[in-house]
């Protein structure tokens, strides 16, 4: 069970937050109020304000290198040319040692401009895939918080990788 209360802690901060618990584990959810490419400003400020160790941060973000609706859970990694992730790493003392959950949004079709692709709305089918992925992400986060990174994460990622493949 997840219970939350939401508030903006102070007017001068750049994030909204919700304090929750997953089982008996307390969780702080923070939503940056900056542009994606500057989200590290908020993440770094939250980590500093609450003195959160890097391994207790779980960054959730969109990822064009994954097909739409496919999730990937990693214990650490690089920025992969994602400007928001690069900003986060810059504001966490250039560290990549924090867990992340990527939500695949696919690549722009043909020669479509990347910015236009990122700002457009999902089609009905894409929205359905994203909604399903978000529920799967909730379960992945719950498992991660309660059990940590283990073989379940590898199985989760393998199921995600092939979930839209036709045999």
């Amino acid at each position: 069970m997840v219970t939350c209360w939401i508030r903006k802690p102070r007017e001068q901060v750049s994030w909204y937050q919700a304090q929750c618990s997953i089982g008996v584990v307390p969780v702080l959810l923070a939503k940056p109020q900056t542009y994606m490419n500057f989200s590290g400003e908020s993440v770094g400020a939250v980590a500093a304000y609450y003195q959160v160790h890097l391994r207790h941060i779980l960054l959730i973000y969109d990822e064009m290198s994954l097909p739409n609706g496919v999730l990937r859970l990693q214990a650490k990694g690089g920025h992969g040319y994602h400007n928001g992730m690069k900003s986060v790493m810059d504001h966490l003392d250039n560290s990549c040692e924090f867990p992340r959950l990527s939500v695949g949004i696919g690549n722009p079709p043909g020669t479509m401009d990347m910015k236009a692709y990122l700002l457009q709305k999902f089609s009905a089918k894409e929205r359905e895939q994203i909604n399903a992925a978000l529920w799967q992400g909730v379960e992945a986060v719950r498992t991660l918080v309660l059990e940590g990174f283990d073989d379940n994460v590898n199985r989760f990622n393998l199921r995600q990788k092939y979930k839209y493949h036709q045999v």
Side-chain angles (χ1 to χ4, degrees):
M1 181 170 143
V2 177
T3 55
C4 296
W5 60 271
I6 301 171
R7 71 183 179 100
K8 188 169 181 182
R10 297 186 318 263
E11 208 50 45
Q12 69 271 21
V13 298
S14 58
W15 71 87
Y16 285 103
Q17 70 181 38
Q19 293 185 340
C20 309
S21 62
I22 297 177
V24 296
V25 179
V27 175
L28 174 74
L29 304 171
K31 179 183 177 193
Q33 294 302 292
T34 57
Y35 289 108
M36 170 67 85
N37 289 353
F38 303 108
S39 55
E41 295 172 11
S42 296
V43 175
V46 169
Y49 183 81
Y50 289 102
Q51 299 177 341
V52 179
H53 190 278
L54 291 178
R55 67 188 153 112
H56 292 143
I57 293 172
L58 176 65
L59 194 74
I60 302 172
Y61 66 101
D62 64 345
E63 179 60 66
M64 286 178 47
S65 68
L66 291 174
N68 190 71
V70 172
L71 303 173
R72 183 174 55 210
L73 194 54
Q74 296 176 288
K76 60 183 177 180
H79 57 73
Y81 303 104
H82 189 290
N83 290 330
M85 182 62 80
K86 186 174 181 336
S87 172
V88 169
M89 292 169 69
D90 288 346
H91 285 84
L92 294 176
D93 296 327
N94 293 312
S95 178
C96 61
E97 302 288 321
F98 55 89
R100 69 274 318 266
L101 176 63
S102 321
V103 180
I105 59 169
N107 282 308
T111 60
M112 183 178 193
D113 178 65
M114 181 177 59
K115 290 178 186 171
Y117 178 73
L118 290 171
L119 295 174
Q120 76 178 357
K121 292 185 182 226
F122 292 113
S123 70
K125 181 180 178 182
E126 291 168 334
R127 170 62 21 206
E128 187 178 308
Q129 291 172 331
I130 291 292
N131 287 343
L134 293 177
W135 282 111
Q136 293 165 356
V138 167
E139 288 304 313
V141 169
R142 181 175 292 148
T143 301
L144 178 64
V145 167
L146 296 175
E147 299 175 20
F149 273 94
D150 61 9
D151 289 337
N152 291 329
V153 170
N154 293 332
R155 284 192 293 276
F156 171 80
N157 286 336
L158 192 59
R159 281 192 313 271
Q160 288 293 312
K161 183 175 181 178
Y162 295 109
K163 73 179 177 183
Y164 294 119
H165 287 243
Q166 301 288 329
V167 180

